[in-house]
PDB file of all heavy atoms in Angstrom:
ATOM      1  N   TYR A 318      19.196  32.847   5.562  1.00  0.00           N
ATOM      2  CA  TYR A 318      18.780  31.450   5.643  1.00  0.00           C
ATOM      3  C   TYR A 318      19.321  30.616   4.480  1.00  0.00           C
ATOM      4  O   TYR A 318      19.233  29.397   4.551  1.00  0.00           O
ATOM      5  CB  TYR A 318      17.295  31.318   5.696  1.00  0.00           C
ATOM      6  CG  TYR A 318      16.657  32.051   6.844  1.00  0.00           C
ATOM      7  CD1 TYR A 318      15.939  33.196   6.681  1.00  0.00           C
ATOM      8  CD2 TYR A 318      16.844  31.575   8.150  1.00  0.00           C
ATOM      9  CE1 TYR A 318      15.365  33.877   7.699  1.00  0.00           C
ATOM     10  CE2 TYR A 318      16.289  32.223   9.224  1.00  0.00           C
ATOM     11  CZ  TYR A 318      15.515  33.354   9.019  1.00  0.00           C
ATOM     12  OH  TYR A 318      14.982  34.055  10.057  1.00  0.00           O
ATOM     13  N   ALA A 319      19.776  31.318   3.422  1.00  0.00           N
ATOM     14  CA  ALA A 319      20.032  30.584   2.145  1.00  0.00           C
ATOM     15  C   ALA A 319      21.012  29.411   2.307  1.00  0.00           C
ATOM     16  O   ALA A 319      20.707  28.273   1.935  1.00  0.00           O
ATOM     17  CB  ALA A 319      20.521  31.575   1.115  1.00  0.00           C
ATOM     18  N   ALA A 320      22.205  29.702   2.914  1.00  0.00           N
ATOM     19  CA  ALA A 320      23.199  28.655   2.973  1.00  0.00           C
ATOM     20  C   ALA A 320      22.737  27.506   3.866  1.00  0.00           C
ATOM     21  O   ALA A 320      22.926  26.315   3.509  1.00  0.00           O
ATOM     22  CB  ALA A 320      24.472  29.251   3.491  1.00  0.00           C
ATOM     23  N   GLU A 321      22.133  27.805   4.964  1.00  0.00           N
ATOM     24  CA  GLU A 321      21.711  26.807   5.909  1.00  0.00           C
ATOM     25  C   GLU A 321      20.623  25.903   5.348  1.00  0.00           C
ATOM     26  O   GLU A 321      20.499  24.694   5.613  1.00  0.00           O
ATOM     27  CB  GLU A 321      21.210  27.457   7.218  1.00  0.00           C
ATOM     28  CG  GLU A 321      21.453  26.628   8.428  1.00  0.00           C
ATOM     29  CD  GLU A 321      20.968  27.377   9.692  1.00  0.00           C
ATOM     30  OE1 GLU A 321      20.895  28.623   9.673  1.00  0.00           O
ATOM     31  OE2 GLU A 321      20.745  26.686  10.700  1.00  0.00           O
ATOM     32  N   LEU A 322      19.761  26.493   4.492  1.00  0.00           N
ATOM     33  CA  LEU A 322      18.651  25.793   3.856  1.00  0.00           C
ATOM     34  C   LEU A 322      19.094  24.901   2.725  1.00  0.00           C
ATOM     35  O   LEU A 322      18.451  23.868   2.433  1.00  0.00           O
ATOM     36  CB  LEU A 322      17.617  26.800   3.416  1.00  0.00           C
ATOM     37  CG  LEU A 322      16.216  26.278   2.999  1.00  0.00           C
ATOM     38  CD1 LEU A 322      15.554  25.520   4.106  1.00  0.00           C
ATOM     39  CD2 LEU A 322      15.342  27.456   2.589  1.00  0.00           C
ATOM     40  N   ARG A 323      20.187  25.282   2.103  1.00  0.00           N
ATOM     41  CA  ARG A 323      20.604  24.609   0.809  1.00  0.00           C
ATOM     42  C   ARG A 323      20.629  23.084   0.880  1.00  0.00           C
ATOM     43  O   ARG A 323      20.073  22.418  -0.032  1.00  0.00           O
ATOM     44  CB  ARG A 323      21.939  25.191   0.369  1.00  0.00           C
ATOM     45  CG  ARG A 323      22.333  24.648  -1.004  1.00  0.00           C
ATOM     46  CD  ARG A 323      23.071  25.634  -1.784  1.00  0.00           C
ATOM     47  NE  ARG A 323      22.509  25.651  -3.126  1.00  0.00           N
ATOM     48  CZ  ARG A 323      22.696  26.638  -3.991  1.00  0.00           C
ATOM     49  NH1 ARG A 323      23.325  27.740  -3.622  1.00  0.00           N
ATOM     50  NH2 ARG A 323      22.209  26.546  -5.191  1.00  0.00           N
ATOM     51  N   PRO A 324      21.220  22.493   1.917  1.00  0.00           N
ATOM     52  CA  PRO A 324      21.308  21.010   1.899  1.00  0.00           C
ATOM     53  C   PRO A 324      19.952  20.311   1.911  1.00  0.00           C
ATOM     54  O   PRO A 324      19.869  19.161   1.524  1.00  0.00           O
ATOM     55  CB  PRO A 324      22.072  20.674   3.223  1.00  0.00           C
ATOM     56  CG  PRO A 324      22.575  21.974   3.754  1.00  0.00           C
ATOM     57  CD  PRO A 324      21.830  23.103   3.060  1.00  0.00           C
ATOM     58  N   TYR A 325      18.937  21.030   2.324  1.00  0.00           N
ATOM     59  CA  TYR A 325      17.610  20.403   2.392  1.00  0.00           C
ATOM     60  C   TYR A 325      16.822  20.549   1.088  1.00  0.00           C
ATOM     61  O   TYR A 325      15.848  19.866   0.851  1.00  0.00           O
ATOM     62  CB  TYR A 325      16.774  21.028   3.499  1.00  0.00           C
ATOM     63  CG  TYR A 325      17.341  20.946   4.890  1.00  0.00           C
ATOM     64  CD1 TYR A 325      17.811  22.063   5.567  1.00  0.00           C
ATOM     65  CD2 TYR A 325      17.439  19.707   5.583  1.00  0.00           C
ATOM     66  CE1 TYR A 325      18.359  21.956   6.841  1.00  0.00           C
ATOM     67  CE2 TYR A 325      17.975  19.606   6.830  1.00  0.00           C
ATOM     68  CZ  TYR A 325      18.415  20.762   7.446  1.00  0.00           C
ATOM     69  OH  TYR A 325      18.951  20.660   8.723  1.00  0.00           O
TER      70      TYR A 325
END
Side-chain angles (χ1 to χ4, degrees):
Y318 301 109
E321 212 178 338
L322 191 58
R323 185 146 227 160
Y325 300 112

